[in-house]
Amino acid sequence: WDSLAADAIVIRTVGRDLVLAGGRPRGTLYAVYTFLEEAVGCRWWASDGSYVPRKARLAVPGLNISYAPSIRYREAYYRDPMENPLFAAKLKLNGNFYNIPESFGGHYSIIGWCHTFYAWLPPATYFADHPGWYSERGGKRSPDGGQICLTNADALAEMTRVVLDEVRKNPSAGIISVSQNDWHGRCECANCLAFEEKEGSPAGPLIAFVNSVAEAVGKEFPEVLVETLAYQYTRKPPATVRPRENVVVRLCTIECNFGEPLTHESNQGFYDDMRGWSAVAPNLYVWDYVTDFLNYLIPHPNLRVLAPNLRFFERNKTIGMFEQGDGKSAVGDFVRLRTWLLARLMWDPAQDPRELTREFLNGYYGAAGPYLEKYLDLVHDARDKAHTRISCYHQHTDYLTFDDVQEAMRLMNAAADAVAGNRVLAERVRRDRLTLDHVWLLRFDALKAEAEKRDVKLEGPTDERAAAREFLDTARRHSAGNYSEGQPFDAYAVSIEARYAGPPPAPGELNSIV
């Protein structure tokens, strides 16, 4: 048993005995959940929906399954599994933001999480006495919008001391982050620039710096990994510096086109960098972006790239995945489908994403499922036809034509009709059509004008003001949270309310008010 990989599972029948076991720390639990899924037929769609078959007799066939997930760290950053850690455990998610109790196997914890340069060496503590530890830009040392000077030996010594102290506080975490701040501002002193030029990338001095910290960590904590980012200006791998065995490089896809797989020519730069890091790094972790940070409440047609991208990551030595979704929003573009689909694919990227999607839609939405599948196909086909670049900061829906919106409304209406007699299923469909209703509201004037031009009926509500109120009420009823990164839904709702507040009072009405 000690030879089993982390979270590996064993499911085996031996005579009339059934063996469910696995590698530490969660393998046995995952073996139980896998047996319940594959042999019994249980499904955990979301925290508010599951399926457990009722059978008078359970017949277990001969089983001999051994499986170890190549992606050991699996995190889908969505609100449902974060707020319901036992649901996360059932999906075999085990990342930093799931507060899964130890009795259910616990979870990975990254000390500091990320962007930790100023967390470990705060300028308020150090800059006055040690300005040389911080970025030089334009010939001047400043902590404002900067980074750490990665060729400063004293800064390295203090970083190493602080990091070791942090690991001593929580040695079981397994990973600590030593990573650049979430902005540019790298050091441009002569030593740093010379190192960059030699390595052909700012990642050169970064990896050398992190390697030195990791060497000290490895001597005292051989099981602890030191993580750093390959992000924006450090995404290109260095020419000769190689990450140590206990260093994890976390590669970020933030600049990519998420309407196409990462193997597509529009993503050539990231593809080349991923292949470059795979050739030199012992451990890769990918920070992938699967949402629209500018607007969670519009369609985000990237479902077709999720499986191809995960297979690409797996082929390139990726042991950890952080799929950053709508973590602060309870509503969005089928966020429960995305959570379940990503969890299944991170566990086994070889699975058929279309079959998984169909299974979820039919299981979670009942008779509405086939109509929702057609709706999702319509949205993705429209994006594919228009060849629209989909970034993680994309708030336009112009790839959806007038005809597309019309048909989408018809499909959503059919989905609602199919489950009209079931209160639970009807509310799920109502909640998850919010993104389409949002498109309709945002583009109402243009859609109405086009319908009048063609002399056709505009699909959708007959009263746009009532529709706006109902949209806002539904979103609030389901605790929308944020509508974009860092922006609360209630702040955004003001603009919808203003847009559909009706015409201003006529002059005569104003006189009567006065």
Side-chain angles (χ1 to χ4, degrees):
W1 300 113
D2 290 341
S3 67
L4 288 171
D7 294 352
I9 63 171
V10 174
I11 302 175
R12 187 169 299 168
T13 50
V14 184
R16 292 185 59 79
D17 293 330
L18 172 65
V19 177
L20 301 173
R24 297 181 185 277
R26 291 166 286 271
T28 299
L29 180 70
Y30 291 164
V32 172
Y33 287 144
T34 300
F35 173 77
L36 291 174
E37 289 172 333
E38 305 306 324
V40 180
C42 297
R43 291 292 184 271
W44 299 281
W45 309 119
S47 63
D48 67 350
S50 60
Y51 171 70
V52 178
R54 295 181 177 274
K55 300 179 180 180
R57 179 174 178 269
L58 176 62
V60 179
L63 297 170
N64 186 7
I65 299 170
S66 296
Y67 179 73
S70 58
I71 299 174
R72 301 202 298 266
Y73 179 113
R74 300 172 298 278
E75 188 153 24
Y77 187 70
Y78 288 96
R79 190 162 153 183
D80 196 11
M82 288 194 291
E83 291 184 345
N84 299 280
L86 299 189
F87 169 60
K90 290 173 182 175
L91 293 188
K92 306 186 187 78
L93 298 171
N94 59 13
N96 182 79
F97 290 99
Y98 307 126
N99 192 25
I100 301 171
E102 290 301 320
S103 58
F104 278 76
H107 63 106
Y108 283 100
S109 178
I110 300 178
I111 303 172
W113 175 238
C114 69
H115 304 309
T116 57
F117 273 1
Y118 281 8
W120 304 146
L121 297 184
T125 302
Y126 294 104
F127 181 76
D129 294 329
H130 306 284
W133 293 8
Y134 298 88
S135 291
E136 177 184 317
R137 289 176 294 156
K140 181 181 178 181
R141 298 281 180 174
S142 172
D144 298 333
Q147 306 286 346
I148 299 299
C149 178
L150 298 172
T151 57
N152 187 294
D154 292 334
L156 172 61
E158 183 64 5
M159 179 70 78
T160 302
R161 184 193 69 77
V162 170
V163 166
L164 283 170
D165 282 349
E166 293 295 327
V167 177
R168 288 170 190 140
K169 296 174 188 176
N170 188 11
S172 64
I175 306 175
I176 186 167
S177 175
V178 180
S179 55
Q180 68 205 61
N181 299 322
D182 195 11
W183 48 76
H184 287 263
R186 76 190 198 283
C187 183
E188 299 172 357
C189 74
N191 290 335
C192 284
L193 290 181
F195 204 151
E196 286 183 18
E197 184 176 2
K198 174 188 170 187
E199 293 296 325
S201 169
L206 172 67
I207 296 300
F209 184 91
V210 173
N211 276 349
S212 295
V213 177
E215 182 178 8
V217 170
K219 290 176 182 177
E220 188 171 343
F221 302 99
E223 301 301 318
V224 173
L225 298 172
V226 179
E227 175 273 342
T228 198
L229 295 172
Y231 174 55
Q232 295 181 336
Y233 67 89
T234 58
R235 202 185 75 186
K236 182 181 178 182
T240 65
V241 177
R242 299 292 181 259
R244 287 175 52 86
E245 286 295 323
N246 63 332
V247 169
V248 176
V249 176
R250 184 161 24 170
L251 188 60
C252 303
T253 63
I254 194 167
E255 300 92 349
C256 293
N257 172 16
F258 300 103
E260 303 288 354
L262 294 171
T263 52
H264 188 264
E265 61 184 1
S266 62
N267 291 313
Q268 187 67 50
F270 181 86
Y271 175 89
D272 291 342
D273 290 344
M274 180 87 198
R275 297 285 292 156
W277 281 109
S278 177
V280 301
N283 306 296
L284 283 180
Y285 174 127
V286 173
W287 185 319
D288 193 25
Y289 301 80
V290 291
T291 189
D292 181 352
F293 291 117
L294 287 181
N295 201 323
Y296 298 144
L297 291 169
I298 60 172
H300 191 62
N302 68 335
L303 290 173
R304 291 176 177 171
V305 310
L306 300 181
N309 287 353
L310 279 165
R311 292 167 190 157
F312 173 64
F313 298 143
E314 184 185 41
R315 290 194 303 270
N316 285 279
K317 295 164 53 176
T318 299
I319 64 167
M321 284 300 310
F322 178 63
E323 299 281 12
Q324 187 173 8
D326 313 2
K328 302 297 183 181
S329 177
V331 297
D333 188 23
F334 286 84
V335 291
R336 288 155 189 81
L337 164 63
R338 291 168 178 276
T339 301
W340 189 83
L341 181 61
L342 284 166
R344 296 292 293 245
L345 290 172
M346 283 189 283
W347 177 256
D348 179 7
Q351 296 180 88
D352 184 337
R354 187 166 187 86
E355 288 301 317
L356 290 174
T357 299
R358 180 175 295 131
E359 181 184 3
F360 181 92
L361 294 175
N362 293 335
Y364 187 63
Y365 300 97
Y371 300 103
L372 298 178
E373 182 178 7
K374 290 179 181 178
Y375 163 79
L376 288 172
D377 279 341
L378 182 151
V379 173
H380 285 72
D381 288 345
R383 200 293 324 171
D384 292 350
K385 183 179 179 180
H387 301 291
T388 301
R389 179 183 177 86
I390 301 295
S391 75
C392 56
Y393 294 94
H394 183 91
Q395 59 180 339
H396 304 293
T397 62
D398 49 4
Y399 58 89
L400 291 170
T401 66
F402 173 82
D403 291 331
D404 291 331
V405 176
Q406 290 280 87
E407 181 60 16
M409 296 298 289
R410 285 190 284 266
L411 287 169
M412 278 295 187
N413 289 339
D417 291 343
V419 294
N422 186 309
R423 182 182 60 81
V424 172
L425 297 183
E427 187 65 12
R428 289 175 184 172
V429 171
R430 178 67 200 93
R431 178 194 63 208
D432 291 334
R433 71 172 287 166
L434 279 170
T435 52
L436 176 61
D437 291 341
H438 193 204
V439 171
W440 190 87
L441 289 168
L442 291 176
R443 294 173 54 180
F444 173 73
D445 290 339
L447 293 170
K448 181 181 178 182
E450 183 66 17
E452 292 173 350
K453 177 181 175 182
R454 298 189 187 193
D455 193 23
V456 298
K457 174 182 176 291
L458 178 63
E459 298 292 339
T462 56
D463 183 339
E464 67 272 20
R465 296 191 187 97
R469 290 193 297 271
E470 206 270 338
F471 168 81
L472 296 174
D473 290 345
T474 302
R476 287 168 172 147
R477 185 167 71 249
H478 290 283
S479 304
N482 287 0
Y483 88 94
S484 68
E485 189 175 26
Q487 298 299 317
F489 178 79
D490 282 341
Y492 175 68
V494 173
S495 65
I496 298 293
E497 290 167 340
R499 181 185 294 225
Y500 290 98
E509 294 175 303
L510 288 174
N511 291 334
S512 65
I513 293 172
V514 174

